[in-house]
Amino acid sequence: MRTIFVLFDSLNRSAIGAYGGTAVPTPNFDRFAQKAATFTKHYAGSLPCMPARRDMHTGRLNFMHRPWGPLEPFDNSFASILSENGVYTHIVSDHLHYFENGGSGYVNAFDSWDFIRGQEYDAIKVLTQPPVARLREKFDARHYPMGGLQDGETITRRNTDQTTWRRLRHATNTIFMEEERDYPTAKCFQSALEFLELNRAADNWFLQLECFDPHEPFTAPQRFKEAFATGYKGKILDWPIYEKVTNSEEEVAEIRANYAALVAMCDEYFGKLLDWLDRENAWQTTALVLTTDHGFLLGEHEWWAKNKMPYYEEISHIPLMIWHPSMAGSGGRSVDGLTQTTDLMPTLLDFHGIDIPEEVTSHSVLPVLKGTAPERDTAILGMFAGPICVTDGRYSYYRFPEDPDGQALPAYTVMPSHLENLFSDDEMRSAELAQPFDFTKGSPLLKITLDPDIGETGQACVANWHDGSCLFDLENDPGQLDPINDEVVVSRLCVAIVAHLLKHNAPEEIYSHYGLEAHRAGMTGRN
């Protein structure tokens, strides 16, 4: 058995023709959908990037215990488990966060990895004194603020603000993207296809091909951009700040067109993978999974991006397509049952006939591919300290904290790292030793009060939303434009939230933080 797991970042469900999208031609995603099972009610779990990947590795939600961070020593990783059972695991990725403090352990779980340089603010080549004046002429200051920086100035990560540093680094990267083959996505597929060629006669391997695109910045080769030309004549706008939309209609159209161009590139290169499977007649020996971690707002709900607003359907309702050799003759169908990101881990193990660890709280979808119904009635998702979203596929309910102070929820971890930096001295001085959870294999944890300004939690969403908890009827209001009042549905979904929290051995603080004590007492008999 061989498995190819293709993971794009921020691939919107609505951008794919097979899911009803019309703005971007996606002939290769659609071509795969004609062969695969297309899951129509697949949802994210922990958000954003690294929390989502921890879900994928471990088969359980992690957002109620900790925000962004590394794999923990006690975590089950599907990559490690596959390797321990004789399946060779390899990852090809340009996802730069894997190589920061907050992304450690993930690629190390594989037998081998190939890291492609140059995505976002990961430098292709280093210019210690970048040509600021030249770049300022090319890039719009709203997306690429360069302030008072000057040519001939040495710019370091710590002598300028984070936004300027990151965006100037990417602008500098574009100097070295002269040909299409220089783009990270092109290099990722080239590396993955080389792995496939070298191992086409072998069995018992797992390849994860993970592309950061179409995550922002929306930088695509010119031929893809030309297909979505808007007539816009201004400076480059391709990396929206996470904020309310204040752009003109012309500018919004241009930003969306830049995203569309990048999706089109992802689709075309995905087609090269399908071509290899066709050419090698490998479908009967190889499973193929295509999905993403979360979506991205492109002006919907008057917002750009994610993290700072409720996890609307555009963010949380994501694509999943799966081919398995056992499906021969029964592909091209829709699976309408509810599934979630965490289901990937047990599914990948199940593909290779490997037992699923007892700590896993999700479900393999392999039985679904063979004709049974999914096992999930509801799913919860969220960011640490942000609202908890619960959906049953018909309704989505966002339960906001009763206490807006995010510091009321401590983090539980033995890997105290933020995205880039380790926990601060102040954070570490707050640490207490906490008892093990049921998934930590007897390991106690550090209970740590986080700096509320770290920017990796759902606190920004809580601060930006003043209307309290809200319920949407997705059947009658798929755009989530008009919240409804239905106490019976709310009560039922609150019970579902508590059931998921109990299943994940959530910290005690979480029930009072979200005002769920009464619902918990009704389920457990606790006062």
Side-chain angles (χ1 to χ4, degrees):
M1 183 66 192
R2 297 108 60 90
T3 300
I4 304 171
F5 176 34
V6 180
L7 178 62
F8 290 102
D9 196 304
S10 307
L11 177 60
N12 283 352
R13 183 174 178 273
S14 61
I16 299 174
Y19 282 101
T22 58
V24 188
T26 54
N28 293 296
F29 292 147
D30 301 347
R31 169 183 160 197
F32 182 48
Q34 292 173 3
K35 190 176 189 71
T38 299
F39 290 73
T40 64
K41 293 181 180 177
H42 185 64
Y43 280 83
S46 303
L47 299 166
C49 297
M50 297 322 295
R53 282 155 181 80
R54 189 176 176 213
D55 282 4
M56 293 178 194
H57 273 256
T58 64
R60 56 181 301 124
L61 298 168
N62 66 89
F63 73 84
M64 65 279 291
H65 295 94
R66 189 198 72 183
W68 187 298
L71 274 182
E72 302 278 355
F74 46 76
D75 280 344
N76 297 307
S77 164
F78 74 80
S80 295
I81 295 170
L82 287 170
S83 178
E84 290 164 1
N85 285 273
V87 179
Y88 190 95
T89 58
H90 182 66
I91 181 171
V92 175
S93 182
D94 60 352
H95 194 105
L96 71 162
H97 297 315
Y98 281 138
F99 294 88
E100 296 174 305
N101 283 320
S104 66
Y106 294 92
V107 298
N108 310 89
F110 291 80
D111 288 314
S112 55
W113 50 266
D114 186 12
F115 178 44
I116 307 301
R117 305 303 300 267
Q119 191 58 263
E120 203 179 60
Y121 53 87
D122 175 54
I124 295 176
K125 296 183 184 295
V126 176
L127 296 181
T128 61
Q129 297 179 341
V132 175
R134 172 182 164 190
L135 297 173
R136 189 180 282 121
E137 286 297 312
K138 185 177 179 182
F139 292 89
D140 193 294
R142 287 169 292 178
H143 286 189
Y144 293 85
M146 300 182 196
L149 301 178
Q150 302 295 326
D151 284 354
E153 182 178 354
T154 299
I155 299 169
T156 73
R157 184 160 68 106
R158 292 174 178 81
N159 74 358
T160 188
D161 71 88
Q162 177 177 274
T163 299
T164 299
W165 163 257
R166 291 181 174 181
R167 293 173 187 242
L168 179 59
R169 291 260 289 197
H170 173 70
T172 304
N173 275 346
T174 64
I175 296 171
F176 304 103
M177 295 182 188
E178 297 179 351
E179 305 290 340
E180 186 171 317
R181 64 176 179 268
D182 299 328
Y183 283 69
T185 287
K187 292 180 179 180
C188 280
F189 274 88
Q190 179 185 10
S191 175
L193 289 168
E194 180 180 55
F195 173 90
L196 293 174
E197 277 297 303
L198 290 171
N199 296 282
R200 66 181 185 274
D203 196 6
N204 296 324
W205 51 253
F206 176 95
L207 169 64
Q208 181 163 327
L209 169 54
E210 180 174 347
C211 296
F212 197 61
D213 287 338
H215 191 288
E216 74 279 8
F218 308 139
T219 306
Q222 189 60 31
R223 70 181 178 96
F224 293 103
K225 289 175 60 65
E226 288 171 355
F228 300 94
T230 64
Y232 172 75
K233 302 299 182 184
K235 296 181 181 181
I236 292 174
L237 286 167
D238 65 1
W239 193 346
I241 301 288
Y242 290 22
E243 63 183 3
K244 281 279 192 178
V245 175
T246 59
N247 305 84
S248 67
E249 291 185 10
E250 178 189 30
E251 291 167 342
V252 170
E254 175 65 9
I255 296 168
R256 288 176 172 174
N258 286 329
Y259 177 79
L262 202 48
V263 170
M265 182 182 188
C266 293
D267 175 82
E268 180 169 314
Y269 276 82
F270 182 69
K272 297 178 186 295
L273 177 61
L274 301 183
D275 292 343
W276 184 88
L277 287 160
D278 288 341
R279 188 169 60 249
E280 295 295 325
N281 194 27
W283 293 103
Q284 300 312 310
T285 58
T286 311
L288 177 59
V289 179
L290 169 69
T291 192
T292 191
D293 51 358
H294 52 68
F296 190 91
L297 289 176
L298 292 163
E300 300 91 346
H301 306 281
E302 301 181 347
W303 276 97
W304 294 115
K306 57 185 188 288
N307 298 354
K308 296 194 174 183
M309 70 298 291
Y311 329 111
Y312 292 112
E313 287 281 290
E314 292 88 348
I315 297 170
S316 61
H317 194 175
I318 58 178
L320 173 66
M321 300 180 195
I322 299 179
W323 159 264
H324 186 273
S326 67
M327 294 171 55
S330 63
R333 72 183 192 274
S334 293
V335 176
D336 298 325
L338 192 63
T339 57
Q340 192 169 21
T341 296
T342 49
D343 295 333
L344 290 169
M345 183 267 201
T347 299
L348 297 173
L349 294 183
D350 205 5
F351 280 3
H352 292 267
I354 298 170
D355 291 340
I356 297 166
E358 63 180 13
E359 293 85 7
V360 171
T361 58
S362 49
H363 315 283
S364 168
V365 303
L366 182 55
V368 176
L369 299 178
K370 296 178 179 179
T372 66
E375 298 184 43
R376 189 181 297 281
D377 296 321
T378 59
I380 65 168
L381 57 103
M383 293 180 70
F384 181 84
I388 297 175
C389 174
V390 58
T391 184
D392 59 3
R394 164 68 189 273
Y395 297 97
S396 62
Y397 175 62
Y398 299 85
R399 183 77 176 190
F400 275 75
E402 293 201 341
D403 179 0
D405 180 9
Q407 289 187 304
L409 282 185
Y412 291 88
T413 181
V414 294
M415 299 289 287
S417 176
H418 298 302
L419 191 160
E420 292 185 64
N421 302 313
L422 300 176
F423 279 21
S424 69
D425 292 340
D426 284 344
E427 288 173 319
M428 291 306 299
R429 278 191 287 268
S430 75
E432 303 173 13
L433 194 63
Q435 292 298 308
F437 290 98
D438 65 7
F439 59 90
T440 66
K441 301 173 183 174
S443 171
L445 296 96
L446 295 176
K447 177 181 177 181
I448 301 175
T449 301
L450 298 180
D451 182 337
D453 298 323
I454 59 173
E456 299 164 10
T457 73
Q459 274 298 99
C461 173
V462 174
N464 289 328
W465 184 265
H466 305 292
D467 296 334
S469 299
C470 50
L471 174 69
F472 293 95
D473 181 345
L474 299 177
E475 184 175 295
N476 295 306
D477 179 24
Q480 295 176 292
L481 302 177
D482 299 305
I484 63 171
N485 293 310
D486 190 324
E487 290 304 317
V488 173
V489 173
V490 167
S491 179
R492 174 172 63 83
L493 294 178
C494 284
V495 169
I497 292 175
V498 171
H500 284 285
L501 295 178
L502 290 170
K503 187 176 184 179
H504 287 84
N505 200 195
E508 288 296 319
E509 301 92 348
I510 207 165
Y511 298 97
S512 58
H513 188 66
Y514 291 95
L516 294 168
E517 304 101 316
H519 295 91
R520 183 190 185 188
M523 293 179 63
T524 64
R526 293 183 58 157
N527 294 324

